[in-house]
Amino acid sequence: MSFSTAFLKDLDIIKKNTIGLEDLENKTILVTGATGQIGSFIVQSLSFIGSMKNLGLSIIAVGRNEEKFSNKFSGILKNGNIKFVQQDFQYELNWDFHTDYIIHAASNADPKSYMSDPVGTMNGNYIATLNILNYAKEQNVEKVVFISTGEVYGEIDDTKPIDETTSGYINSMKVRSCYPISKRATETLCISFMYQFGIEVSIARLAHIFGPNFSNKDSRVASQFLKSASEGNDLTMYSEGKQIRSYTYISDCVSGILTVLLRGENGEAYNVSNTENAISLHDFCCYIAELAGMQLKTVIANEEEETLKTPISHAVLSNRKLKKLGWEPVINVKNGIKSTLKILEGTNK
């Protein structure tokens, strides 16, 4: 990634808005899913911030592909505070090193992956987390943060922002449910480890996150549209886009996750969301087209595209609980899209 002014501005936002960064001094933090959109931004942010603030912070970045890791982090490995560990989480962990904190972000996170590999999606959520929690128990890790999703709330017949006590309907007989159902089950696994073994754990339920760092295979609409716009292509929607989401820019997401790690209460879940950014998918895509100078058209979805869609029409997550810890999201939708396009412009050169 090119370290553009926009990217460095994002890092500064994370540094200013994360509550409790001083607690990371001389600590080691392990991040799984380190080459994914969320995990890679966390690793990049911790590396830069650790160096800028002289925290003495060490980062263990866990992923499946060392070449992919080296390509993604080539510009910051010189900081000397990142160690890569190659791991496929379908296998047991044979780690003999210690870490103080774990952010578990490894997961299939795009609809095409859910449909092409639903069993792998479920195993990647539940079995991988079981292995991580057993490792945390053996190594007396100070705290684990499990990265979950707003999809665990399911379908809700209410348009109010969704708080952490809400539980809606998920159809367990649909393959597309492999993602939210396994995330729900894994949340309970985390709480069970806390109850039975005394593991300290908090859960971060992410809203619809957008920004750079997505992979080329990411099939989420926001990522696909931002990629197309950055490459100078017009945009095509396969629905009317009436779904309402609380779109949250990735720098706000990362500062929220780190605040959950450092200030979140044991055994609690927190929505990581910019509730004020609640708009329809259509309006979100219109903003991308407008800011990129591209055309937006709507066509009828084919059968395959229909299977990728979530049945959830309203997914606005309340951030009141996380804000009580002192955290504040600061990036609105338009500014987040502008920042993403600037960063992607530098990446595409």
Side-chain angles (χ1 to χ4, degrees):
M1 172 177 284
S2 173
F3 301 139
S4 63
T5 301
F7 178 66
L8 295 174
K9 182 179 178 181
D10 284 346
L11 295 178
D12 191 54
I13 287 169
I14 294 167
K15 183 176 69 170
K16 289 179 179 177
N17 292 351
T18 299
I19 308 303
L21 273 177
E22 63 278 2
D23 291 355
L24 292 178
E25 187 170 3
N26 297 320
K27 297 290 188 178
T28 298
I29 182 166
L30 184 148
V31 181
T32 70
T35 58
Q37 183 182 29
I38 306 299
S40 64
F41 219 91
I42 291 172
V43 170
Q44 288 169 328
S45 302
L46 289 172
S47 178
F48 271 99
I49 292 168
S51 296
M52 286 188 288
K53 293 177 71 71
N54 295 314
L55 290 175
L57 174 66
S58 297
I59 304 147
I60 301 171
V62 183
R64 286 182 291 188
N65 189 312
E66 188 168 7
E67 182 180 359
K68 185 177 178 182
F69 167 82
S70 297
N71 291 336
K72 186 174 280 286
F73 296 103
S74 59
I76 61 172
L77 292 177
K78 64 181 183 294
N79 289 343
N81 55 6
I82 304 175
K83 172 187 175 183
F84 177 73
V85 172
Q86 189 167 13
Q87 179 69 47
D88 186 331
F89 281 106
Q90 67 177 312
Y91 304 109
E92 288 187 16
L93 309 183
N94 293 306
W95 297 344
D96 58 1
F97 53 81
H98 178 75
T99 187
D100 299 297
Y101 298 115
I102 297 173
I103 297 177
H104 181 36
S107 176
N108 279 347
D110 70 285
K112 282 189 176 179
S113 295
Y114 310 156
M115 300 306 296
S116 66
D117 187 19
V119 174
T121 296
M122 296 193 77
N123 279 340
N125 286 329
Y126 191 88
I127 301 299
T129 308
L130 175 63
N131 290 335
I132 284 288
L133 290 168
N134 276 320
Y135 165 76
K137 175 167 68 79
E138 292 164 4
Q139 291 291 326
N140 294 315
V141 170
E142 289 184 33
K143 186 168 184 179
V144 177
V145 169
F146 172 60
I147 305 300
S148 189
T149 171
E151 286 200 29
V152 298
Y153 294 115
E155 299 175 65
I156 299 165
D157 295 327
D158 199 338
T159 58
K160 294 185 298 185
I162 301 165
D163 69 21
E164 289 81 357
T165 63
T166 304
S167 183
Y169 172 72
I170 300 175
N171 186 348
S172 63
M173 300 304 291
K174 293 290 186 181
V175 173
R176 174 61 177 76
S177 298
C178 66
Y179 181 66
I181 286 282
S182 56
K183 285 288 191 181
R184 263 190 185 181
T186 305
E187 288 190 5
T188 306
L189 179 67
C190 290
I191 298 305
S192 299
F193 262 78
M194 179 200 72
Y195 173 81
Q196 188 167 345
F197 302 115
I199 301 295
E200 183 158 339
V201 61
S202 294
I203 294 162
R205 293 175 179 159
L206 307 191
H208 281 66
I209 309 304
F210 73 99
N213 276 31
F214 52 80
S215 70
N216 288 329
K217 72 171 188 175
D218 190 336
S219 62
R220 288 173 292 185
V221 173
S223 299
Q224 287 295 308
F225 273 36
L226 288 164
K227 180 176 183 291
S228 293
S230 72
E231 295 172 347
N233 300 318
D234 289 333
L235 312 178
T236 302
M237 287 188 65
Y238 294 96
S239 73
E240 295 181 70
K242 293 181 179 179
Q243 308 96 310
I244 307 295
R245 309 284 187 245
S246 48
Y247 290 94
T248 304
Y249 186 59
I250 194 162
S251 61
D252 283 333
C253 171
V254 170
S255 67
I257 291 170
L258 293 176
T259 298
V260 171
L261 175 72
L262 298 168
R263 290 293 181 267
E265 293 185 22
N266 189 23
E268 293 292 328
Y270 295 86
N271 291 335
V272 180
S273 168
N274 190 335
T275 311
E276 299 302 314
N277 280 352
I279 59 170
S280 70
L281 173 61
H282 179 268
D283 287 347
F284 182 82
C285 295
C286 282
Y287 284 153
I288 297 175
E290 172 193 333
L291 293 168
M294 299 295 145
Q295 297 295 314
L296 175 65
K297 63 179 180 179
T298 302
V299 299
I300 298 173
N302 60 33
E303 185 176 348
E304 179 186 0
E305 287 150 354
E306 284 291 342
T307 63
L308 300 179
K309 296 177 183 176
T310 172
I312 300 170
S313 61
H314 193 272
V316 178
L317 306 190
S318 169
N319 58 18
R320 289 183 63 187
K321 185 174 179 180
L322 185 54
K323 288 174 74 172
K324 288 180 180 178
L325 301 181
W327 174 80
E328 287 284 346
V330 296
I331 304 297
N332 64 33
V333 171
K334 279 195 171 183
N335 286 338
I337 292 171
K338 287 178 185 177
S339 180
T340 301
L341 292 174
K342 286 178 182 176
I343 293 170
L344 292 178
E345 181 183 350
T347 304
N348 292 335
K349 286 182 178 178

